Amino acid sequence: MFCRILNALDDEVISLDYPRNGDEMAVAGRIKDAMRAQCVPQIVRAWYDVVLMYRNSDPELCTGVLDSMRRYISWIDISLIVNESFTSLFFELMLVDGFPDQLRAAAASVLLAAVSKRMDSKSKLALLKSLHIRRAFGLVAGDSDSELVSGVASLLTGYAAEALECSKRLSPSDGKEISLELLNEVLPSVFYVMQSCEVDATFSIVQFLSGYVNTMKSLSMLTETQLLHVRQILEVIRVQIQFDPIYRNNLDVLDKIGREEEDRMVEFRKDLFVLLRSVGRVAPDMTQIFIRNSLASAAASSEDRNVEVVEAALSLFYALGESISDDMMRTASGQLGELVLMLLSTRFPCHSNRIVALVFLETITRYMKFVQENTQYIPVALGAFLDERGIHHSNVNVSRRASYLFMRVVKLLKAKLVPYIETILQSLQDTVAQFTRMDGSSKTQSGSEDGSHIFEAIGLLIGMEDVPLEKQSDYLAALLTPLCQQVEFALLNAQTQIPDESATNIAKIQQIIMAINALSKGFSERLVTASRPAIGLMFKQTLDVLLQLLVVFPKIVPLRCKVTSFIHRMVDTLGASVFPYLPKALEQLLAESEPKELVGFLVLLNQLICKFNTGVYDILEEVYPVIAGRLFSILPRGDIPSGPGGSTEEIRELQELQRTFYTFLHVIATHDLSPIFLSPRGQGYLDPMMQLLLHASCYHNGIAVRKACVQIIIRLIKDWCTRPYSEEKVPGFRSFVVEVFATNCCLYSVLDKSFDFRDANTLSLFGEIVLAQKVMYEKFGNDFLHHFVSKGFSNAHCHQDFVEQYCQKLQGNDIKALKSFYQYLIEHLRHQQNGSLVAR
């Protein structure tokens, strides 16, 4: 009953494990103060007497008493508990084998509460020293699942954490060295606990070890003891990052359980790898020796039990690489060089396992800069990617990743691989054949590998100018000819195929286009147009074949997207020589008018304009009226309404189309192509275009879109309005700008309180709006100024003093001063209106 009353008092009133408000905290404080003054010493005496009397006859009762004691230690006088009588009793209970585990663990938890009690560092050090904790070290060697071992493990880790804190806070004169001695004494047992026992959830292994490693950062040289501890820390990291063998098959086939475990471990390992890199900076040689020994040990152990060990050793080396600079990686002298060579030369017995194969390839890729400097190791490195450890691995996830990593390796080594091109192509022959043969047995239909990375790697290899022209032509023809033949065969048989066959063939054609697309990335525009036009001709012939797909399969959207992507690629590769192919291509692509397709079409036109500027005028003159007609029939004049319950897919597509159209208009305007809007077939769309731009510049919820629309109008003013009072190039444009755009966009839209001057993007838009006023004054002179002041400012009830200052700033040459004053003016007008918006 005595224990139950104390526990209830703790649960209901005192304990901070439960949320308490301010009043409840004050009540608890008064009760604790009164208890300290009146009865805590008697309670403590009662605890001691009960445990001493009943420890043999009623251990369960004593366990309950110790649990009550543990609860109260955080706020009572610690000298009542940590003294000769109590400490001797606690250690007797822990160390004597005859007592039940629950009682022994309860004694350990009381000591942990005492060790964890908040106090100044000098008092804490004295407490730690008085415990002679080494007496408990042997207890953790028992059954790791037992309550006793768990309790003692928590005590030792808690003790070590407090000793570390003392070493950080105390100066040498206050006992820093003593705290380090206590820490060094307990650390071997703590390392054992970390590797062998279930650690208390409140104790962070990484946080504690990181704190300990930080104490070594300022040291010029580590002691033997510290080096020993560093090695033990590395061992703890190695053990902690190992996968549980129970998940081996799940991880290999990567089912749902395997995926979840892999994701969990990726997250769990992050902090451990940060710790590893910290250790690597403090003791680089020791870290590298440890990883070398781990790899050697893993390679020597039997295949059936070393999957997790090998994966952990390789992961350590991979993670270490993140902290090694490029220069260190290139020179890789001493231990690091030996480690890289060991990695390249070792064949692990469990290479067939997915997680081992993947981390092996990732690690080689990470250290490839060493191979870049030491080219004699290129054949060994290539072997890892080209044989059954990489691209030819039996696990499709590994072969796919190996293809991507190999492409990265080729990008890095480039010209240094020229002597090995024949060997590489020979090794990849069967992989490439999956795409080039016409027997229908291609594995590409499974979707396991789209071939793009392999073909990109080959393109990078054979597309270099270091490769002789004759060989380059042969290599490229050997790839392009069979791929194009398959497309031509599909085109010939398009009408006669049954639906299932047709779907299979279309999927295969898509993969062929992706492969050709990837292959072309290795060939520069200069090479295919200037130095080796014969290569360019081969790509032109390929483009000609692929464009026929748009005619024969006009309704297959994914196929059209792939062809569009290839046209993008050829614009970059063939440069201006692609022009003869564009009219036919654009005509076919324009045959469809779904919003998604139109977005892709506009993006292609944007690329052409950005690359060739006014060179595409004739093409644009033909297609702009068709595009404008389509878009103005699809897009609403104002905002696109959201559907009930949020945006539907259809609305999102319309929004994307609208954004892309604004970008398209911006690209036209800023590349000297605004005459397109005034062409005989284009000028019919001028009015709806200006209304769209006006609405968007004032009200669009995307600040970037508003800014782009203001920039378009500024550009059109500059292009179409030469000087004040001259003849109008575009009838009605000047009055539209002065009477409608200026007041609505440059004044009323910024007076709206939704225009947030604290937002950086909005401030950038405001800069464009101020610039627009400056340009209008330069082009229209007092016409603009008179209308803006008489209609705009007067409606906003702007004081005459402000009007005069505005005119002065506008007529001056300091745009920053104008912007600053105009912002002040707008904020003043908002305040004056007290939130009521101007009637527009």
Side-chain angles (χ1 to χ4, degrees):
M1 182 58 72
F2 170 59
C3 287
R4 284 169 60 192
I5 288 170
L6 289 174
N7 291 352
L9 179 64
D10 181 60
D11 285 339
E12 300 297 332
V13 181
I14 298 170
S15 173
L16 295 176
D17 291 342
Y18 305 97
R20 314 268 184 210
N21 61 33
D23 291 342
E24 290 169 334
M25 296 280 279
V27 169
R30 290 199 298 275
I31 290 174
K32 287 191 286 187
D33 288 343
M35 287 179 70
R36 286 188 196 102
Q38 294 172 32
C39 59
V40 164
Q42 295 95 308
I43 290 172
V44 172
R45 184 72 209 178
W47 283 335
Y48 181 78
D49 290 342
V50 172
V51 174
L52 193 64
M53 186 182 299
Y54 291 104
R55 68 190 187 282
N56 291 309
S57 60
D58 197 343
E60 192 176 338
L61 178 67
C62 293
T63 302
V65 172
L66 291 171
D67 180 55
S68 292
M69 201 185 304
R70 174 188 60 77
R71 292 162 174 252
Y72 281 73
I73 283 176
S74 65
W75 61 270
I76 65 174
D77 181 357
I78 194 63
S79 66
L80 294 169
I81 300 293
V82 180
N83 52 51
E84 183 58 36
S85 301
F86 259 115
T87 305
S88 299
L89 179 59
F90 293 145
F91 275 96
E92 179 195 333
L93 293 172
M94 280 200 305
L95 296 171
V96 174
D97 275 345
F99 292 126
D101 272 6
Q102 288 89 339
L103 177 59
R104 299 170 77 185
S109 68
V110 175
L111 281 172
L112 175 60
V115 162
S116 307
K117 184 177 170 67
R118 290 171 62 184
M119 62 187 79
D120 68 86
S121 297
K122 287 176 79 171
S123 302
K124 177 62 67 77
L125 181 60
L127 184 153
L128 296 176
K129 196 176 175 188
S130 72
L131 291 179
H132 304 294
I133 197 75
R134 74 178 70 85
R135 292 177 280 177
F137 292 170
L139 294 174
V140 291
D143 178 5
S144 62
D145 291 331
S146 77
E147 202 171 330
L148 169 65
V149 171
S150 179
V152 175
S154 296
L155 170 60
L156 296 181
T157 53
Y159 180 98
E162 295 297 331
L164 177 61
E165 279 305 304
C166 287
S167 73
K168 290 180 189 173
R169 290 178 181 167
L170 292 171
S171 64
S173 61
D174 287 332
K176 185 181 184 76
E177 289 305 315
I178 296 170
S179 61
L180 284 171
E181 284 173 20
L182 296 178
L183 179 60
N184 287 334
E185 184 182 47
V186 74
L187 272 175
S189 296
V190 171
F191 292 136
Y192 176 82
V193 163
M194 289 174 178
Q195 294 174 58
S196 310
C197 309
E198 194 70 39
V199 179
D200 188 341
T202 58
F203 176 77
S204 167
I205 290 176
V206 174
Q207 193 176 334
F208 169 73
L209 292 178
S210 297
Y212 178 63
V213 171
N214 285 340
T215 64
M216 303 182 206
K217 282 185 176 176
S218 57
L219 304 176
S220 56
M221 198 169 164
L222 302 185
T223 65
E224 282 297 316
T225 304
Q226 287 170 326
L227 285 171
L228 176 65
H229 290 163
V230 163
R231 197 197 173 290
Q232 288 175 307
I233 290 171
L234 290 166
E235 184 59 32
V236 167
I237 296 170
R238 190 187 69 77
V239 170
Q240 290 279 325
I241 66 167
Q242 274 186 212
F243 281 99
D244 190 329
I246 197 170
Y247 296 111
R248 186 180 295 174
N249 288 334
N250 303 100
L251 287 161
D252 197 32
V253 299
L254 203 61
D255 57 17
K256 184 174 181 288
I257 294 170
R259 222 175 252 109
E260 286 172 0
E261 178 61 11
E262 191 166 60
D263 291 345
R264 187 192 70 79
M265 278 298 266
V266 165
E267 200 57 40
F268 174 72
R269 286 173 162 188
K270 281 179 183 174
D271 291 338
L272 286 160
F273 285 151
V274 170
L275 173 61
L276 171 72
R277 290 188 282 273
S278 295
V279 175
R281 282 187 282 271
V282 167
D285 289 346
M286 169 65 78
T287 306
Q288 289 164 23
I289 289 168
F290 179 83
I291 293 174
R292 188 190 66 193
N293 293 342
S294 298
L295 283 172
S297 169
S301 60
S302 65
E303 182 175 353
D304 60 344
R305 71 175 185 83
N306 80 334
V307 168
E308 294 74 27
V309 177
V310 172
E311 195 277 339
L314 287 166
S315 293
L316 287 176
F317 192 28
Y318 176 79
L320 182 70
E322 200 169 307
S323 61
I324 296 174
S325 68
D326 283 356
D327 287 340
M328 281 176 66
M329 197 86 79
R330 286 191 188 94
T331 52
S333 55
Q335 296 286 352
L336 187 61
E338 287 180 30
L339 252 177
V340 178
L341 292 180
M342 185 179 184
L343 175 74
L344 290 170
S345 59
T346 304
R347 278 187 173 257
F348 296 100
C350 52
H351 237 120
S352 59
N353 187 278
R354 185 187 70 88
I355 58 171
V356 171
L358 284 176
V359 73
F360 174 72
L361 294 168
E362 296 280 1
T363 309
I364 287 183
T365 307
R366 172 156 279 181
Y367 289 91
M368 195 51 72
K369 283 189 173 65
F370 171 80
V371 178
Q372 190 181 16
E373 289 299 307
N374 301 274
T375 53
Q376 67 270 32
Y377 300 115
I378 286 178
V380 188
L382 287 176
F385 290 96
L386 297 173
D387 64 22
E388 72 286 350
R389 291 171 294 170
I391 290 165
H392 291 93
H393 197 282
S394 55
N395 185 306
V396 70
N397 292 302
V398 176
S399 61
R400 186 184 296 138
R401 185 67 182 168
S403 301
Y404 167 72
L405 293 174
F406 176 65
M407 181 266 293
R408 276 177 50 192
V409 167
V410 171
K411 273 186 178 176
L412 178 71
L413 299 179
K414 285 183 182 168
K416 292 180 179 178
L417 291 176
V418 171
Y420 305 98
I421 289 178
E422 293 280 359
T423 310
I424 292 168
L425 293 178
Q426 196 70 35
S427 298
L428 294 175
Q429 203 166 21
D430 58 337
T431 310
V432 170
Q434 295 173 17
F435 297 86
T436 55
R437 64 180 172 225
M438 299 178 67
D439 57 5
S441 62
S442 165
K443 286 198 289 188
T444 60
Q445 291 161 19
S446 68
S448 63
E449 169 60 80
D450 63 21
S452 57
H453 296 314
I454 287 292
F455 277 88
E456 186 171 349
I458 293 172
L460 290 164
L461 280 170
I462 67 174
M464 291 184 280
E465 295 214 24
D466 306 69
V467 180
L469 172 59
E470 192 178 335
K471 276 189 172 270
Q472 195 172 54
S473 297
D474 290 346
Y475 292 148
L476 189 57
L479 292 160
L480 287 180
T481 304
L483 290 171
C484 288
Q485 282 173 350
Q486 286 191 76
V487 175
E488 287 170 332
F489 182 76
L491 289 166
L492 281 170
N493 293 285
Q495 303 302 321
T496 58
Q497 284 172 343
I498 57 174
D500 284 350
E501 276 182 5
S502 180
T504 303
N505 268 340
I506 285 165
K508 190 166 183 179
I509 292 168
Q510 287 182 68
Q511 289 182 317
I512 287 170
I513 298 169
M514 287 168 71
I516 297 172
N517 203 340
L519 182 70
S520 68
K521 289 180 184 178
F523 294 82
S524 69
E525 182 181 343
R526 196 178 66 80
L527 182 137
V528 303
T529 57
S531 60
R532 298 181 179 178
I535 299 294
L537 181 61
M538 293 166 81
F539 280 114
K540 287 177 192 173
Q541 289 166 342
T542 304
L543 178 60
D544 216 17
V545 171
L546 296 187
L547 287 178
Q548 293 173 45
L549 292 167
L550 296 174
V551 181
V552 177
F553 300 103
K555 302 289 183 186
I556 312 293
V557 174
L559 195 58
R560 290 166 63 85
C561 289
K562 292 287 185 294
V563 175
T564 305
S565 176
F566 185 64
I567 297 168
H568 277 292
R569 183 77 242 138
M570 289 299 99
V571 169
D572 282 337
T573 306
L574 296 173
S577 62
V578 80
F579 271 38
Y581 300 88
L582 291 176
K584 175 185 171 186
L586 296 175
E587 181 190 344
Q588 292 300 324
L589 289 172
L590 257 181
E592 292 298 313
S593 58
E594 287 298 314
K596 246 183 175 176
E597 293 237 20
L598 285 171
V599 167
F601 187 77
L602 290 174
V603 170
L604 176 59
L605 288 177
N606 288 345
Q607 181 197 15
L608 290 168
I609 296 167
C610 291
K611 188 168 177 70
F612 302 114
N613 297 304
T614 53
V616 294
Y617 184 90
D618 291 344
I619 292 172
L620 209 55
E621 190 178 26
E622 286 297 315
V623 297
Y624 174 73
V626 185
I627 294 168
R630 292 262 177 86
L631 289 172
F632 288 125
S633 67
I634 294 172
L635 295 173
R637 291 289 183 269
D639 297 327
I640 295 170
S642 292
S647 294
T648 63
E649 185 63 32
E650 190 179 337
I651 287 169
R652 280 196 294 273
E653 284 180 9
L654 279 178
Q655 288 168 339
E656 187 186 1
L657 178 59
Q658 188 189 59
R659 280 193 300 272
T660 312
F661 184 46
Y662 289 131
T663 305
F664 173 60
L665 296 176
H666 188 270
V667 170
I668 290 176
T670 53
H671 286 79
D672 301 318
L673 287 164
S674 62
I676 291 292
F677 301 133
L678 306 178
S679 66
R681 290 174 56 211
Q683 63 185 355
Y685 299 102
L686 185 58
D687 185 56
M689 181 187 84
M690 295 312 303
Q691 293 301 329
L692 196 70
L693 291 174
L694 173 68
H695 187 275
S697 66
C698 295
Y699 309 115
H700 200 282
N701 55 15
I703 295 295
V705 169
R706 286 174 73 171
K707 181 180 171 182
C709 291
V710 174
Q711 288 173 332
I712 293 168
I713 292 174
I714 291 172
R715 188 60 190 249
L716 296 181
I717 294 169
K718 288 179 177 178
D719 286 356
W720 296 347
C721 307
T722 48
R723 58 185 183 276
Y725 317 117
S726 62
E727 187 182 340
E728 283 196 87
K729 184 176 181 181
V730 183
F733 179 68
R734 179 186 296 181
S735 59
F736 167 80
V737 170
V738 170
E739 296 169 20
V740 184
F741 170 74
T743 49
N744 281 285
C745 178
C746 299
L747 181 59
Y748 298 154
S749 78
V750 293
L751 276 173
D752 193 311
K753 285 199 173 180
S754 64
F755 196 94
D756 185 3
F757 284 110
R758 295 166 300 177
D759 175 64
N761 291 326
T762 305
L763 212 53
S764 175
L765 163 62
F766 184 71
E768 294 297 330
I769 287 171
V770 171
L771 177 63
Q773 293 167 62
K774 189 75 178 160
V775 170
M776 284 187 283
Y777 178 70
E778 287 169 1
K779 295 294 185 183
F780 309 131
N782 289 329
D783 276 3
F784 159 70
L785 196 54
H786 173 72
H787 193 277
F788 197 59
V789 167
S790 65
K791 291 290 193 290
F793 282 164
S794 63
N795 282 353
H797 309 295
C798 182
H799 196 275
Q800 187 59 31
D801 285 353
F802 284 123
V803 172
E804 288 172 8
Q805 284 184 66
Y806 171 77
C807 293
Q808 187 184 350
K809 299 283 185 190
L810 184 69
Q811 289 162 341
N813 294 319
D814 190 343
I815 189 79
K816 280 187 179 175
L818 173 62
K819 181 181 174 183
S820 180
F821 171 76
Y822 196 57
Q823 182 177 338
Y824 170 74
L825 172 61
I826 294 298
E827 286 171 339
H828 175 81
L829 290 174
R830 282 184 188 177
H831 181 69
Q832 182 180 293
Q833 292 162 13
N834 196 23
S836 65
L837 298 176
V838 176
R840 298 178 184 177

